[in-house]
Amino acid sequence: MLGLTKPAVTFACLSLLTAAAHAEDFRLQNGLHVVLAPDPNVNNVALVVSYETGSGSDPAQYRGLAHLVEHLTFRGSRHLLDGQGTDMIEATGGGSNAYTYPDRTMYVAVLPRAALPLGLWIERERMAFALDGIDQAALELERKIVRNEVHQRAGLHWLLGMQRQRSLYGLPHPYASEDAAYFDDVSAISLPDVQWFFQSSHRPDNATLVLVGAFAADEARPLIERYFAPVRNPELQRASLHPPAPKQCGVHRVELGHYFLQGRMLSVTWTLLPPSSAPEHMTLRALQQLLDGRISEQLVRGSFEASSVSVRLDHRKTHSLLHLEVMLHDRTDFARVEARVTKVASELAARALSEAELRSLRGELVTQAVLAREDPLEQAMAIAVGFDSIHDREHASALDAPSLQRAAAQLTGHRLVVSARPSQAVSHGTDILAEDNPCR
Amino acid sequence: MPLSARLVLVFVGLLTACGSRPPLPAPEHPLVRTLEAPELAKPPPLTAADPEHIEVASESAKLPNGLTLLVATQKHLPYVALSFATRGAGRFDGVCSPELLRLTARAVVEGGTIWTDGSVVEPLRVHGRGVDFEVAADHTHFDLSVLRESLPAGLTVLARTVQKPSFSGGLDPVRVHELDALKSSSDGVDSQLVKLGAAGSYGDDFAAQLVPSKLDAVREASDAAIRRCYEESIAPETSALIAVGDITLAELRELATPHFMSWPGTGRSLGAPAAAPEPTSNGLQVHWLVAGDSAQSRVVLLQPAPTQHQPDDEVPFALLSEIAVGATRSRSNNTLRHDRGVTYGLQPELIHGRSVGLLLVKVSFEINATADAIRSLLQTLEELQNKPVSETELKDAKRRFLYRVAFRVGSHEGLAKYLGELFSQGKDVSWLGQLERSLAAIQPADLQRVAKRYLRPGDTDLGVYGDWAMRNQLAFLGRVTTYRAALE
């Protein structure tokens, strides 16, 4: 019996995906959400299994648990030896990896078409039988590896990012934690903790499986049914996470000192309404692009006040964040750069783009969308988050000035402004030198 | 209850509150609820033969001035990746200093272009995209991807950019940007360790080429020096205009000829490369960059590798490094990460230049495990010299190698860059088509041969970063020279 139910699109942004002749989504009876987007233009298949649980679901004082569980699922299963899944994928010439994000944990693989059944089988093993492969010895090893990974990544941007989360959300909050507590927490996680967390998170009713690339839907559907329909959900409650958006109180300023690396950075974070449709998502991407282009033009190419500018969009369950980071030259004044940033944001909100500006922006985004079609993994990961990357080109072509202006209006109000400078006095990574938080 | 007893209870309560955390719910049992299905207990076989053949159909032609046109027609997506590659203009080629060469390439892209009406324009963009550049080990390339409908504009922009840089005044912004880039690429711990290891093994001049870091060379380069470097490094005879995507050779020729035909040939040909430098390390020499308080050590290992003048060794050596330090489940990753947990993983990099071949391995270790981990890493290399790899290891490494190449050439942009690399190495595109046969011919003995020929695990200079806690363990590895970290 087929375990399919009628299509149930849970992400609004996928609405257009179902209309596409070559894309479909459905849900198995055990709750597993499946999206199939065959694309004959590429040579590989991207497979993503995304569990709607990430580091934001770490219980208080159990920081690192989601990340540790992600690592441990590579340690074998009932029918796989330690590391054998990775070996098998690599032996086909494919590659696999996993990422623990605040809202989700993603297992990803890029496979030659011939290895699609194998890739699906390995993900079934992970979902159904990984707990058979996780023992105390594996836990102790992976604790060390996770600690090594975090140490290796703990550069300036990582530390500032952690501090920014603390300033943005306040403590305690699922998206923010104390640096020092992290390693203590990881050290104290026990095997039953891992088992409980796995059962509440790595389960069909908490997962989306996405395939993009060189396969036929008729070939993939029965395979998915065969491998995943028999996977049972545990009886204990499924993990759920709906963390509150940051509190908004005007301009929240933080001055940070950091003890390593030379350089000063200004970062501005705006909290935005999350996109509820694919066109809205494209509008935010257009805003990101515009902001990046205009501020780079002024600060990097125009006045040489900065060496680099980057703008990043970060979608969370209940809100989106737009992060701007500017690396300043030695003598550049923080306040002056902030004033320029504010002015650019205000101009975007005050004046709609001209037809020529809009045409140029559309061209830029359409070009990006066409180029992205060659990366099935990027598309599969975007779909797993709930964005219709398959139709980016159409959405970019349909971009309109009033929507963009409305989105830009969100940049004129509340924001978090962090200025970071080197300081010999700082003892551990980053310290707050001064703070003005209107919420307090 | 007496006061003393109450105080004891409060004290115990406080201890409990401070020393423990609320327990999580217990897992349910049985841990796994999914029923065993014997028919699903074994992994499914691959549904078809492995991808063993990379087919890239390409055509080429030469313009009268010597410029090569190279086209791979692929019509499935409406865009064209353009790349202009110049061989012999790499950072090890010695045409100009590596700092000046990068500054020159940046000035070509960012320093203003003389437009058709004689005015100087910058930045040149097509749909918001500008020309990118990279100075690689053996060539420099300038890239621009455009939608098919914008191809004429894209070609005009790329052609004017590479042929008509203004170089006349106003280059200070370019110097500022290049100084930023140079600082950020040379300031980090890895760069300092690479430099220390390279200086120890090959001498200071080579280290300076490997890690360009002379800020004064950028600050003080005159406009005339930049122009001279441009004229000495970029010429039609040593360059190729590459197009991948929705375009044919006839179209490229028609579009490119008006732009490039007036570019005079120089009659220049590529000179013979300098001889590959010989490492002079004797025994194990540790260059220790002492850090204040570090949670991990950082280690950089340099090993000689084939140059482009040892073409028969190129692929066997690549397979060897894959097995030793490359794949997620390489020998060293298995030992150091998966079995012992002392690292998050190794990051290898192969440099395959005209006169320089290097295998660089960068890795972070737990402080206390550093010396043992280094020994293990060097031992892995020794074993590859002493014993052939297994047939299975070799087969898997071949497949991964082939797949990685297939993956790289699977996009228009990736293929355009790859064709630029092949052009720079003097290889024909048919090299890709013959890769399967070349790989099939490689035996375990070939890997052992190249391991013996190139690797020198017993005589090497290592760069190590970490705090004083490492002092004793490093002393047991070999001679140790200490350096104070300029920045942390």
Side-chain angles (χ1 to χ4, degrees), chain A residues 29-315:
Chain A
Q29 279 179 342
N30 58 16
L32 178 67
H33 182 210
V34 180
V35 183
L36 304 179
D39 185 346
N41 295 321
V42 293
N43 303 320
N44 315 308
V45 185
L47 162 61
V48 171
V49 178
S50 175
Y51 296 93
E52 295 298 299
T53 311
S55 57
S57 300
D58 288 342
Q61 300 179 60
Y62 289 83
R63 293 286 143 194
L65 181 52
H67 188 192
L68 191 57
V69 168
E70 174 237 290
H71 273 238
L72 281 162
T73 66
F74 286 89
R75 283 282 171 185
S77 67
R78 182 175 296 175
H79 308 107
L80 280 171
L81 301 173
D82 183 359
Q84 198 182 3
T86 308
D87 279 345
M88 285 172 157
I89 296 280
E90 287 200 346
T92 69
S96 61
N97 210 334
Y99 305 97
T100 305
Y101 297 110
D103 287 336
R104 54 186 56 83
T105 303
M106 281 192 190
Y107 297 89
V108 308
V110 179
L111 307 156
R113 180 181 181 148
L116 175 60
L118 177 65
L120 290 169
W121 183 83
I122 289 170
E123 286 311 319
R124 163 194 154 82
E125 279 293 309
R126 190 190 316 276
M127 191 183 285
F129 301 118
L131 282 183
D132 285 350
I134 300 174
D135 57 16
Q136 189 62 33
L139 172 61
E140 280 162 22
L141 268 174
E142 287 302 339
R143 269 199 210 118
K144 291 174 72 169
I145 295 170
V146 164
R147 274 199 298 265
N148 280 316
E149 178 183 355
V150 173
H151 279 309
Q152 192 170 318
R153 290 195 173 163
L156 173 67
H157 287 272
W158 189 82
L159 283 170
L160 292 180
M162 295 283 280
Q163 183 58 58
R164 188 166 52 201
Q165 306 282 40
R166 288 192 285 272
S167 299
L168 194 61
Y169 294 105
L171 287 173
H173 191 283
Y175 291 148
S177 69
E178 292 286 359
D179 293 338
Y182 185 90
F183 293 106
D184 293 342
D185 285 4
V186 168
S187 301
I189 288 169
S190 70
L191 192 56
D193 298 335
V194 167
Q195 290 163 337
W196 167 80
F197 192 84
F198 182 94
Q199 288 176 338
S200 62
S201 58
H202 285 56
R203 44 198 284 164
D205 61 0
N206 195 40
T208 298
L209 185 156
V210 183
L211 287 180
V212 175
F215 69 96
D218 289 349
E219 152 201 20
R221 226 179 287 114
L223 281 172
I224 291 167
E225 167 67 20
R226 175 175 160 82
Y227 293 142
F228 290 93
V231 179
R232 291 188 178 178
N233 288 299
E235 285 178 351
L236 57 72
Q237 201 178 351
R238 177 163 66 105
S240 68
L241 175 73
H242 292 283
K247 217 167 158 187
Q248 303 278 307
C249 305
V251 183
H252 176 178
R253 281 202 173 73
V254 180
E255 282 178 41
L256 290 181
H258 59 88
Y259 81 89
F260 64 97
L261 290 181
Q262 294 164 345
R264 303 180 313 141
M265 188 181 83
L266 179 81
S267 109
V268 184
T269 303
W270 293 273
T271 306
L272 311 177
L273 291 172
S276 61
S277 66
E280 279 185 22
H281 181 227
M282 181 54 70
T283 303
L284 289 188
R285 282 176 52 190
L287 182 62
Q288 170 192 9
Q289 193 104 343
L290 268 180
L291 201 61
D292 196 329
R294 293 197 177 180
I295 292 175
S296 297
E297 191 59 45
Q298 291 202 13
L299 296 175
V300 180
R301 289 187 286 276
S303 66
F304 313 110
E305 288 169 295
S307 59
S308 69
V309 169
S310 74
V311 182
R312 197 165 51 81
L313 257 178
D314 184 359
H315 298 291

Side-chain angles (χ1 to χ4, degrees), chain A residues 61-62 75 78-79 87 90-91 93 114 121 148 188 199 232-233 235-236 260-261 300 304 307 329 374, chain B residues 21-22 28 31 33-34 36 40 47 79 173 177 180 295-296 328-329 338 341 399-400 403 411-412 488:
Chain A
Q61 300 179 60
Y62 289 83
R75 283 282 171 185
R78 182 175 296 175
H79 308 107
D87 279 345
E90 287 200 346
W121 183 83
N148 280 316
Q199 288 176 338
R232 291 188 178 178
N233 288 299
E235 285 178 351
L236 57 72
F260 64 97
L261 290 181
V300 180
F304 313 110
S307 59
H329 280 142
E374 290 188 317
Chain B
R21 51 186 179 177
E28 71 177 32
L31 289 173
R33 292 190 70 236
T34 301
E36 181 68 21
L40 298 179
T47 57
Y79 92 92
H177 294 158
D180 285 337
Q296 279 184 315
T328 314
R329 306 290 296 187
H338 302 294
R399 204 181 282 134
R400 283 195 299 268
Y403 186 83
S411 70
H412 295 183
E488 295 172 8

Side-chain angles (χ1 to χ4, degrees), chain B residues 82 110 194 276 291 311 337 392:
Chain B
L82 298 168
E110 298 176 6
V194 170
R337 172 181 165 147
T392 311

Side-chain angles (χ1 to χ4, degrees), chain B residues 56-213:
Chain B
V56 173
S58 71
E59 297 176 281
S60 67
K62 261 192 192 225
L63 294 185
N65 60 5
L67 177 72
T68 300
L69 303 181
L70 193 49
V71 172
T73 304
Q74 301 193 349
K75 290 190 177 280
H76 60 271
L77 283 173
Y79 92 92
V80 180
L82 298 168
S83 184
F84 183 93
T86 296
R87 63 178 159 210
R91 70 179 195 269
F92 296 108
D93 288 323
V95 184
C96 338
S97 74
E99 291 86 356
L100 181 56
L101 190 61
R102 264 192 58 93
L103 177 65
T104 302
R106 186 180 291 281
V108 166
V109 171
E110 298 176 6
T113 301
I114 303 168
W115 199 239
T116 46
D117 60 1
S119 62
V120 174
V121 290
E122 75 89 19
L124 283 170
R125 291 181 177 276
V126 182
H127 284 322
R129 299 173 79 85
V131 175
D132 284 331
F133 73 93
E134 187 195 355
V135 178
D138 61 348
H139 70 297
T140 293
H141 55 99
F142 300 90
D143 313 305
L144 178 65
S145 292
V146 289
L147 294 181
R148 177 67 181 83
E149 66 200 44
S150 311
L151 183 58
L155 255 175
T156 308
V157 163
L158 185 60
R160 301 293 305 181
T161 300
V162 297
Q163 283 181 85
K164 302 286 179 187
S166 79
F167 293 144
S168 52
L171 287 181
D172 279 350
V174 177
R175 288 189 187 85
V176 171
H177 294 158
E178 184 51 27
L179 281 171
D180 285 337
L182 194 57
K183 268 193 245 175
S184 79
S185 68
S186 63
D187 268 1
V189 167
D190 279 358
S191 297
Q192 295 196 30
L193 295 180
V194 170
K195 214 168 167 178
L196 287 172
S201 291
Y202 296 94
D204 291 339
D205 290 348
F206 179 78
Q209 272 189 313
L210 190 59
V211 187
S213 53

